Every structure is written in C-alpha cells, then in structure tokens.
Amino acid sequence: TDGLIDFAGGANLSWLELIRLMKKIYRGEHLSHPKTFSGQATEIVVRGPETSRFHLDGDLAGSLPVTFRSIPGGIKIKVPQRN
C-alpha cells in the first residue's frame, strides 16, 4: 500500500442538501458537488464541538475531536494461493 488514508467529506451542507446528496454518495458520484472534498493524508484531525459525533463507513464511531493516523505495516493480510 501507499501508506495513505483516502478520505472524503462535505462542509456546510444543510440537511436538505445532505439528503439530496445521499443517492450520489451511494453511486460514487458525490465528489462533483461543490461542497464535497476528497484527498489522501498520513494523518487526519477532525475538530468540532465535543457533542458532535462522527461516522466511519456508515457506523457511529465516536465523538470529536478525533485523529486518524496511517501506520505503515500495521495490518497484515494473507491471501490464499490460487489452485
């Protein structure tokens, strides 16, 4: 792997904009929206009100602030050989 974290997000979206964007998110077409962004990094820090919650891959994961770091070699994956 390249050791980078791929991320995508949105800023200053109203509830109505977010609801309209949901279909595009599931189709992978959301990054054309002017209030969305994406990128890669070795560390991502998300700050906001401590009452704010965040989701990872669609599941509630915790409260802000939160820091994500890439740990090269942190996950070992074994792939069976093909017969």
Side-chain angles (χ1 to χ4, degrees):
T1 67
D2 59 9
L4 298 173
I5 302 167
D6 295 319
F7 65 89
N12 301 313
L13 290 160
S14 70
W15 279 109
L16 184 56
E17 287 175 306
L18 183 59
I19 290 168
R20 288 180 176 157
L21 194 57
M22 291 303 288
K23 282 185 183 180
K24 288 186 174 189
I25 290 171
Y26 288 109
R27 291 191 306 246
E29 300 170 356
H30 57 291
L31 294 178
S32 63
H33 191 282
K35 293 185 179 179
T36 62
F37 54 88
S38 67
Q40 294 181 310
T42 57
E43 180 175 287
I44 301 168
V45 178
V46 182
R47 295 181 181 93
E50 291 185 15
T51 56
S52 295
R53 307 269 185 228
F54 69 94
H55 295 249
L56 293 174
D57 202 24
D59 295 318
L60 183 61
S63 301
L64 299 184
V66 63
T67 301
F68 302 97
R69 287 186 192 93
S70 172
I71 303 172
I75 298 175
K76 305 275 187 218
I77 299 174
K78 291 187 177 185
V79 179
Q81 291 182 342
R82 294 184 193 194
N83 293 330

